[in-house]
């Protein structure tokens, strides 16, 4: 090994994995992890740490891996992240830590994500838990939502001695980690449940089946249940649709519905009662991680799957690894194309989708070149299922039932980026509820900032 | 875990349960619903709240066997537990809000409940009765053997009219025909609330539109999360897409696209499931009551 190339990671064969829900990537074993860690230059001024939204001390943990001190490596990561086994699997490392790695200039960046995953998996397999606070400080904090933002905020506060209760609307903790990201990318029992248990082992309580704004309001939590501060990490719930003809037809689903049925309700598993559509030919509209997840799930349920995205390959917002995996598995990418109508049969079921071809025009506000329709280029794809994966917007359940909580024109809760403070006293927020749909790690970063903000607020009260 | 503190068999395939659920019982109002999931393997089943007791911290639901999930739920006994029970979901009925009381008092209201839809009509009529408003209530069943909730309803309704499709009890005909008969007798109504199978609500709305009576319906489409997240329950109201779980479940019945809503109920029905329903429901099967349907 000349040091320029990373230690390859073992994966399930594409042809085999396209028919099962087992995890795609096997991760490193001890020898591979040590070998990969040895490539790290241990920079004096580590740019990778700047690229990490939760500022993990990356060179320090990698140095421990190199020496074979995996437990020490885990405790270093735990100081900054409550969910390392998850981040190691789903973070967009190429645009964060690994994107800044000096090794990446002349060769391949250190596989920081794969090393993080290895350390977290090793710790779990060896029964190592994050360190608990010495004692309780007696202050009660409520956290709304048990997704990445909520779990991180709760974990950090618990480590500082706070008495934290998470309220989760669904019947299972994890938020998007449970209902959104599929088993083959993020195993539920092995990884998600275990990391949730780790957060609970810090003393955090989780009450499921509580819809804040409906079952109980934020003001009631503070006035009647004794919570001194509240963190809102309720995510971006509401699915967007295109508003094109035929969208109400049977066989048109939001990615949220399709993935929730499969991941949270386990429709793919024998014995579970929730039904899911097993399409023969499925069109997924959109190019983000959620679109890749929906497409690869439909493929595993037995369909031929097309991804229709209005921009080009370079503009796909999904992680590179997901696009690469999707292609390997046989997903067909119809890029620079956009649906104009869903074709419906006489019984109200999808029979096809009308597509118009696009070309890239001038860059828009986001800096991406905006797609323009090519007149007269329409054609039809025959299909029985259409999955809309166009992003989500925040759920108004909390903002509409909490007086004094300011939202912006996109219905996102307004909160200070540095400490999560909202317009309402003692109420903090972060994650997709504030930013609109983003990534797991950005939500965790916001949860972390808010935990700090809450600690400062309650310390100075 | 949520305990079944009372269980009453109303009909061979209809069961009433009081569930201990302190948070729901404290906050719920007529018109809202809950989602129940009996165990690890069960579906999330949306059910309209049929009554509640704030002191005993219980919520009453009425369940009818529709699919595998509800069939298994029937086997639960008093003292058993449901694994999950979340709510109250959806918006409360506008009629049963204190702030609208003055407006509501001015109205002559008629409720039309069909089949299992009788049960969720009850808390609304009861709430109005407790606030000094007596509403007329029509409850319709296929035949006398399927009748339930008659006495409960009589105790809170102004006038109660029971109908059976085959004439084996009460008025011979359906809820629409009974309403027409009442109007023909000279009764005047300012508002109609109809809860039942979609096909029934559709026909009630066609009639009340003709009669010029504004009508509220409670929609019961397929749902998963019940908090606005999945979009499965979307329906078209006045040309706009609405989510029944957060925008409803009650809507202006004259603006609901029932044909579309009924088609969407077919989404997860297997051929086998359809055959079973057709067999069990005989000629009254209209295919409009999907896997979670018929509960209202």
């Amino acid at each position: 090994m000349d040091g320029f190339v990373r230690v390859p990671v073992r994966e399930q064969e594409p042809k085999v994995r396209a028919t099962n829900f087992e995890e795609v990537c096997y991760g490193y074993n001890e020898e591979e992890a040590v070998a990969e860690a040895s490539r790290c230059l241990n920079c004096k001024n580590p740019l990778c740490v700047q690229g990490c939204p939760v500022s993990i001390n990356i060179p320090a943990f990698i140095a421990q891996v190199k020496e074979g001190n995996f437990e020490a490596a885990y405790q270093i990561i735990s100081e900054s992240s409550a969910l390392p086994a998850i981040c190691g699997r789903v973070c967009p490392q190429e645009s964060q830590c690994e994107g800044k790695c000096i090794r990446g200039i002349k060769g391949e960046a250190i596989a920081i994500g794969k090393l993080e995953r290895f350390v977290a998996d090793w710790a779990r397999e060896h029964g190592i838990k994050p360190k608990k606070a010495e004692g309780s400080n007696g202050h009660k904090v409520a956290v709304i939502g048990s997704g990445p933002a909520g779990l991180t905020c709760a974990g950090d506060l618990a480590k500082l001695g706070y008495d934290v209760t998470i309220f989760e609307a669904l019947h299972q903790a994890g938020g998007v980690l449970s209902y959104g990201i599929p088993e083959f990318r993020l195993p539920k029992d092995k990884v998600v449940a275990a990391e949730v248990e780790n957060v609970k082992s810090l003393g955090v309580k989780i009450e499921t089946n509580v819809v804040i704004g409906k079952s109980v309001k934020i003001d009631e939590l503070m006035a009647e249940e004794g919570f001194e501060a509240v963190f809102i990490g309720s995510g971006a719930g509401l699915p967007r649709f295109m508003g094109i003809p035929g969208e109400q037809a049977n066989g048109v689903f939001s990615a949220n519905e399709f993935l929730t049925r499969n991941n949270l309700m386990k429709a793919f598993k024998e014995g579970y009662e929730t039904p899911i559509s097993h399409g023969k030919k499925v069109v997924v509209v959109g190019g983000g991680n959620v679109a890749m997840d929906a497409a690869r799930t439909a493929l595993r349920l037995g369909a031929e799957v097309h991804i229709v995205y209005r921009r080009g390959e370079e503009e796909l917002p999904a992680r590179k690894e997901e696009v690469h995996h999707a292609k390997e598995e046989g997903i067909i990418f119809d890029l620079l194309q956009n649906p104009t109508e869903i074709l419906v049969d006489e019984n109200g079921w999808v029979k096809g989708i009308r597509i118009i071809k696009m070309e890239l025009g001038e860059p828009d506000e986001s800096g991406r070149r905006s797609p323009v329709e090519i007149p007269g280029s329409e054609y039809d794809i025959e299909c029985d299922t259409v999955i809309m994966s166009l992003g989500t917007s925040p759920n108004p359940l909390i903002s509409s039932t909490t007086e004094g909580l300011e939202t912006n024109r996109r219905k996102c809760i307004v909160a200070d980026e540095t400490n999560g403070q909202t317009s309402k006293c003692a109420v903090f927020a972060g994650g997709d509820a504030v930013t609109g749909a983003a990534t797991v790690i950005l939500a965790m970063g916001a949860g972390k900032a808010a935990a700090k903000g809450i600690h400062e607020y309650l310390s100075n009260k | 875990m949520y305990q079944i503190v009372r269980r009453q068999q109303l009909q061979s395939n209809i069961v009433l349960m009081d569930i201990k659920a302190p948070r729901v019982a404290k906050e719920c109002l007529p018109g809202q619903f809950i989602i129940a999931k009996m165990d690890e393997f069960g579906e999330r089943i949306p059910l309209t709240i049929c009554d509640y007791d704030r002191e005993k911290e219980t919520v009453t639901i009425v369940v009818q066997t529709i699919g595998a999930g509800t069939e298994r739920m029937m086997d639960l006994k008093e003292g058993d537990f449901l694994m999950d029970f979340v709510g109250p979901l959806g918006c409360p009925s506008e009629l049963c809000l204190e702030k609208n009381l003055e407006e509501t008092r001015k109205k002559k209201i008629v409720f039309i409940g069909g089949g299992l839809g009788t049960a969720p009509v009850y808390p609304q009529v009861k709430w109005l009765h407790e606030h000094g408003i007596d509403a007329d209530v029509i409850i319709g069943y296929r035949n006398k053997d399927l009748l339930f909730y008659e006495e409960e309803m009589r105790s809170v309704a102004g006038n109660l009219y029971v109908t059976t499709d085959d004439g084996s009890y009460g008025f011979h005909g359906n809820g629409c025909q009974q309403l027409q008969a009442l109007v023909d007798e000279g009764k005047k109504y300012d508002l109609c609330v109809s809860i039942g199978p979609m096909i029934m609500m559709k026909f009630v709305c066609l009639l009340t539109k003709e009669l010029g009576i504004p009508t509220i319906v409670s929609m019961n489409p397929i749902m998963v999360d019940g908090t606005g997240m999945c979009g499965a329950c979307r329906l078209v109201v006045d040309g706009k897409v609405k989510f029944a779980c957060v925008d409803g479940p009650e809507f202006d019945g004259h603006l609901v696209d029932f044909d579309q809503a009924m088609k969407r109920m077919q989404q997860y029905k297997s051929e086998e499931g359809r055959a079973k329903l057709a067999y069990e429901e005989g000629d009254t099967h209209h295919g409009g009551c999907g896997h979670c349907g018929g509960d209202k």
Side-chain angles (χ1 to χ4, degrees):
Chain A
M1 190 81 38
D2 56 11
F4 290 103
V5 180
R6 59 169 62 169
V7 176
V9 68
R10 288 163 293 113
E11 290 175 347
Q12 254 200 89
E13 280 298 313
K15 271 201 184 124
V16 177
R17 70 182 193 237
T19 62
N20 68 47
F21 280 88
E22 305 295 318
E23 194 170 12
V24 169
C25 176
Y26 293 123
Y28 285 149
N29 60 27
E30 292 188 13
E31 293 77 40
E32 290 162 341
V34 171
E36 179 62 16
S38 306
R39 294 178 57 227
C40 178
L41 300 174
N42 206 353
C43 304
K44 277 223 173 75
N45 176 22
L47 296 177
C48 50
V49 180
Q50 293 172 22
C52 175
V54 296
S55 309
I56 293 174
N57 190 345
I58 294 166
F61 100 74
I62 291 182
Q64 294 295 344
V65 173
K66 192 172 149 186
E67 300 302 322
N69 300 330
F70 306 132
E71 182 170 354
Y74 176 74
Q75 294 301 351
I76 291 170
I77 297 176
S78 291
E79 284 167 17
S80 310
S81 173
L83 312 169
I86 292 167
C87 291
R89 287 170 166 85
V90 304
C91 267
Q93 288 98 0
E94 72 261 20
S95 58
Q96 297 179 345
C97 51
E98 295 177 15
K100 302 244 178 178
C101 178
I102 297 295
R103 273 283 188 203
I105 298 172
K106 279 196 178 164
E108 286 182 328
I110 305 291
I112 300 169
K114 296 288 183 285
L115 288 174
E116 181 186 25
R117 167 188 163 150
F118 163 77
V119 169
D121 286 355
W122 188 92
R124 183 183 64 246
E125 282 155 18
H126 289 78
I128 296 168
K129 297 268 171 195
K131 286 201 183 100
K132 212 179 152 176
E134 298 283 312
S136 166
N137 66 17
H139 293 287
K140 277 178 79 177
V141 179
V143 169
I144 303 171
S146 63
L151 287 172
T152 302
C153 186
D156 276 18
L157 287 169
K159 283 185 204 160
L160 291 167
Y162 288 92
D163 176 1
V164 186
T165 303
I166 301 182
F167 295 98
E168 167 56 47
L170 291 171
H171 57 270
Q172 200 162 33
V176 73
L177 310 169
S178 288
Y179 74 75
I181 303 176
E183 183 75 19
F184 54 82
R185 202 146 83 74
L186 187 63
K188 302 302 153 216
D189 292 340
K190 195 176 97 186
V191 178
V192 180
E195 302 247 291
V196 170
E197 278 310 312
N198 277 351
V199 172
K200 281 164 103 174
S201 77
L202 296 169
V204 172
K205 295 179 274 275
I206 302 183
E207 192 179 336
T208 53
N209 297 320
V210 183
V211 183
I212 302 296
K214 289 287 175 188
S215 311
V216 60
K217 296 184 180 65
I218 285 183
D219 289 308
E220 293 169 329
L221 286 177
M222 296 203 281
E224 295 169 23
E225 301 195 22
F227 291 100
E228 295 169 63
V230 177
F231 172 73
I232 306 169
S234 52
L238 308 187
R240 293 209 189 103
F241 289 92
M242 293 188 76
I244 57 175
E247 227 169 0
Q248 311 316 319
N250 288 356
V252 182
F253 306 97
S254 73
N256 263 7
E257 176 184 355
F258 187 71
L259 290 171
T260 300
R261 285 180 181 276
N262 195 70
N263 304 339
L264 178 73
M265 305 309 296
K266 302 192 164 48
F268 71 94
K269 269 193 189 173
E270 196 66 39
Y272 286 79
E273 281 164 357
T274 298
I276 193 165
S277 151
H278 290 252
K280 289 192 177 63
K281 193 163 170 184
V282 175
V283 170
V284 177
V285 183
N289 286 320
V290 177
M292 301 303 139
D293 286 346
R296 295 169 70 198
T297 298
L299 180 92
R300 282 160 171 76
L301 293 171
E304 172 189 320
V305 185
H306 290 245
I307 283 186
V308 171
Y309 178 57
R310 65 202 179 108
R311 303 183 201 245
E313 169 126 23
E314 278 307 302
E315 288 78 21
L316 282 169
R319 291 171 85 213
K320 284 219 165 62
E321 183 175 325
E322 307 311 327
V323 176
H324 170 71
H325 281 158
K327 282 186 177 168
E328 276 188 343
E329 288 164 12
I331 305 279
I332 300 154
F333 282 74
D334 296 326
L335 301 173
L336 284 167
Q337 305 189 17
N338 206 29
T340 57
E341 182 183 352
I342 291 162
L343 310 169
V344 186
D345 75 11
E346 64 277 11
N347 296 317
W349 288 83
V350 172
K351 62 174 182 183
I353 186 163
R354 183 154 296 159
I355 305 283
I356 190 162
K357 294 189 176 166
M358 316 286 280
E359 57 191 352
L360 288 180
E362 294 301 307
D364 64 8
E365 309 155 348
S366 69
R368 292 188 299 181
R369 294 174 66 192
S370 49
V372 186
E373 292 183 355
I374 303 173
S377 65
E378 287 100 334
Y379 74 102
D380 296 344
I381 300 179
E382 208 179 291
C383 64
D384 54 19
T385 305
V386 174
I387 300 172
M388 290 294 178
S389 179
L390 308 160
T392 52
S393 46
N395 197 319
L397 271 182
I398 290 176
S399 49
S400 64
T401 54
T402 310
E403 244 174 85
L405 191 65
E406 199 188 316
T407 55
N408 64 20
R409 65 185 167 81
R410 290 185 303 139
K411 300 274 189 324
C412 298
I413 297 169
V414 176
D416 186 321
E417 221 176 279
T418 58
N419 61 12
Q421 177 67 56
T422 66
S423 58
K424 191 175 169 76
C425 181
V427 178
F428 298 74
D432 286 5
V434 170
T435 56
T439 60
V440 167
I441 187 69
L442 286 174
M444 288 178 60
K448 204 169 179 57
K452 208 165 141 261
I454 289 169
H455 180 51
E456 274 164 22
Y457 165 75
L458 290 176
S459 307
N460 297 329
K461 217 171 98 171
Chain B
M1 300 285 266
Y2 304 82
Q3 191 168 35
I4 301 166
V5 293
R6 182 169 74 104
R7 182 192 186 280
Q8 191 187 343
Q9 192 87 33
L10 296 178
Q11 282 299 336
S12 62
N13 67 338
I14 300 179
V15 162
L16 174 149
M17 297 180 195
D18 286 350
I19 310 292
K20 181 99 171 174
R23 285 199 187 274
V24 187
K26 178 166 178 271
E27 295 284 329
C28 68
L29 285 168
Q32 292 187 293
F33 65 97
I34 57 91
I35 284 182
K37 181 170 175 290
M38 68 178 278
D39 58 19
E40 168 68 21
F41 301 99
E43 286 188 64
R44 291 173 64 93
I45 302 173
L47 297 161
T48 311
I49 291 167
C50 299
D51 204 356
Y52 48 88
D53 188 323
R54 304 224 198 271
E55 271 171 33
K56 290 186 187 153
E57 302 183 317
T58 60
V59 175
T60 305
I61 53 172
V62 174
V63 188
Q64 179 174 29
T65 40
I66 300 286
T70 43
E71 200 156 311
R72 284 200 305 127
M73 211 182 263
M74 289 290 159
D75 297 336
L76 293 175
K77 297 172 192 64
E78 219 163 83
D80 286 350
F81 291 84
L82 296 174
M83 189 182 236
D84 299 289
F85 192 87
V86 59
L89 300 167
C91 303
S93 167
E94 292 280 324
L95 267 187
C96 303
L97 294 177
E98 300 274 351
K99 62 170 185 173
N100 298 338
L101 201 52
E102 209 165 306
E103 250 343 271
T104 307
R105 273 192 224 281
K106 294 181 193 151
K107 291 185 178 131
K108 184 70 192 152
I109 304 163
V110 60
F111 284 85
I112 306 181
L116 198 68
T118 318
V121 160
Y122 173 73
Q124 300 202 23
V125 180
K126 181 181 167 190
W127 192 95
L128 292 171
H129 177 73
E130 284 169 353
H131 290 78
I133 302 165
D134 284 331
D136 284 356
V137 179
I138 301 169
I139 49 177
Y141 303 89
R142 292 214 317 273
N143 61 57
K144 186 171 177 256
D145 295 334
L146 297 173
L147 183 71
F148 68 93
Y149 247 48
E150 186 190 7
E151 283 322 305
E152 286 87 343
M153 201 66 86
R154 197 176 298 284
S155 66
V156 291
N159 298 297
L160 179 70
Y161 307 94
V162 182
T163 75
T164 52
D165 292 354
D166 66 353
S168 52
Y169 187 81
F171 179 88
H172 185 174
N174 61 32
C176 286
Q177 289 160 331
Q178 174 71 80
L179 176 65
Q180 182 70 60
L182 292 173
V183 170
D184 290 345
E185 281 170 26
K187 290 239 184 202
K188 288 209 175 352
Y189 294 107
D190 306 307
L191 183 70
C192 170
V193 179
S194 178
I195 307 181
M198 279 198 194
I199 187 78
M200 180 203 98
M201 295 192 285
K202 174 185 166 174
F203 281 106
V204 166
C205 288
L206 286 173
L207 174 65
T208 55
K209 207 166 184 175
E210 222 170 83
L211 297 172
I213 307 171
T215 300
I216 303 292
V217 294
S218 179
M219 299 300 283
N220 52 348
I222 293 169
M223 275 182 199
V224 186
D225 64 293
T227 64
M229 197 181 84
C230 78
C233 68
R234 63 191 191 274
L235 42 96
V236 177
V237 182
D238 198 17
K240 294 185 195 77
V241 177
K242 297 281 178 189
F243 288 3
C245 67
V246 287
D247 299 318
E250 297 198 346
F251 293 100
D252 180 339
H254 294 162
L255 301 177
V256 171
D257 185 341
F258 281 104
D259 293 338
Q260 175 120 71
M262 284 190 284
K263 275 184 191 156
R264 285 188 61 79
M265 296 298 269
Q266 304 291 328
Q267 197 124 250
Y268 291 102
K269 267 187 206 160
S270 63
E271 287 304 321
E272 194 186 9
R274 267 195 278 273
K276 180 174 176 248
L277 271 177
Y279 171 76
E280 286 176 358
E281 301 194 353
D283 338 330
T284 61
H285 176 64
H286 303 286
C289 46
H291 80 294
C292 65
D295 65 298
K296 303 179 187 183

